[in-house]
Amino acid sequence: MVFWVFGYGSLVWNPGFEYDEKVIGFIKDYRRVFDLACIDHRGTPESPARTCTLENVEGAICWGAAYCVRGGPERERLAMEYLERRECEYDKKTLVDFYKEGEPSEPALTGVIVFTSTPDKVSNKYYLGPAPLEEMARQIATAHGPCGNNRDYLFSLERAMFVIGHEDDTVIELAKEVRRVLGTKGNGIPVEKKISGSSPAALKSHMPALQLRSLQEAVVMDS
C-alpha cells in the first residue's frame, strides 16, 4: 500500500511526519477559505482561531504539496494516525486528482487524500463559515493556542506559498489586513532585510528556513 496526501495549509511548510516524496502541484475545483475553527492548536474553545479549509468552486485551483508515504503497513499506519490527530477539526477525507505544474490536463496522481470539512454549522461544530475580511483579521490577530499565534499560522502559509512559487491572493489579502490590525507593514520579511527591487530568489534567501518536525514530536501539532 502507498498513499498520497495533499497539504494546503500548515502541511505545506510543516508536514510533521516521515514521507518519501514531496511534489508541488494543485487540485482542481477547490479554493482556500479561512472558515474553520481551531480550538486546540492555534486557538482555544473560548477564543477559536481561524484556519483554512477547502471550498468547492468550479474552475478554481488550489496549489499545495502532495506527500507520498510508502515502506510498509506500519509506517503508513503511523503517518495516517498522526495526520488524523493533527487534522481532527476536519471531518472528511476526500479523494482528489492531483496535477503537476506544466501538466494541467492530465492528473499526475489519482486518489490523493485531502482533509476537508463539511460547510455546515449543524453537522460540523468546527465550521465557522465566512465573515467580513475585517472581522476575520481581528480574530486571527488576537487568537492563540498551544502551538502559537493564529497570525503566525497565516504568515507562515503566506511565506510558504511564496517559496513554492504560487502565492494565494486570499492569503495575501487576509495577511495584509491582519498586519493593518496589528499596526505593522510588509510581507512578513523583517524590514531590515528587505531589498528594493530584488528578485524572488534573492528574497527567499532572507527568509527563515522552514522547519520539519519528526513524528516523535507529534505532541506539538499544528492544523
Side-chain angles (χ1 to χ4, degrees), residues 192-205:
E192 67 275 14
K193 292 186 178 180
K194 288 185 182 179
I195 304 174
S196 177
S198 59
S199 66
L203 285 174
K204 288 178 189 178
S205 70

Side-chain angles (χ1 to χ4, degrees), residues 67-205:
Y67 298 93
C68 176
V69 178
R70 61 173 71 93
E74 180 65 12
R75 192 160 180 263
E76 293 150 15
R77 181 185 65 81
L78 289 173
M80 182 54 69
E81 286 181 353
Y82 167 79
L83 286 166
E84 288 176 341
R85 290 195 304 272
R86 172 170 168 164
E87 308 293 271
C88 59
E89 282 98 359
Y90 299 82
D91 61 334
K92 295 169 61 179
K93 288 197 288 286
T94 304
L95 299 180
V96 297
D97 292 338
F98 175 84
Y99 298 80
K100 293 170 65 176
E101 189 165 21
E103 303 172 16
S105 58
E106 293 295 329
L109 300 165
T110 59
V112 176
I113 300 167
V114 60
F115 286 82
T116 60
S117 53
T118 304
D120 180 353
K121 294 181 180 180
V122 175
S123 61
N124 181 4
K125 65 179 181 180
Y126 296 110
Y127 182 68
L128 295 172
L133 180 67
E134 296 80 3
E135 181 181 323
M136 289 196 295
R138 286 194 298 271
Q139 184 174 356
I140 291 171
T142 56
H144 64 275
C147 288
N149 296 320
N150 194 182
R151 59 181 179 268
D152 291 338
Y153 166 93
L154 174 62
F155 296 156
S156 294
L157 178 58
E158 180 190 33
R159 184 181 300 113
M161 298 309 296
F162 176 86
V163 169
I164 69 171
H166 294 283
E167 295 175 280
D168 186 312
D169 289 343
T170 297
V171 175
I172 291 172
E173 183 182 25
L174 185 53
K176 181 179 179 181
E177 183 63 20
V178 170
R179 290 189 183 96
R180 190 193 67 78
V181 171
L182 294 170
T184 61
K185 298 180 181 179
N187 61 355
I189 305 171
V191 173
E192 67 275 14
K193 292 186 178 180
K194 288 185 182 179
I195 304 174
S196 177
S198 59
S199 66
L203 285 174
K204 288 178 189 178
S205 70

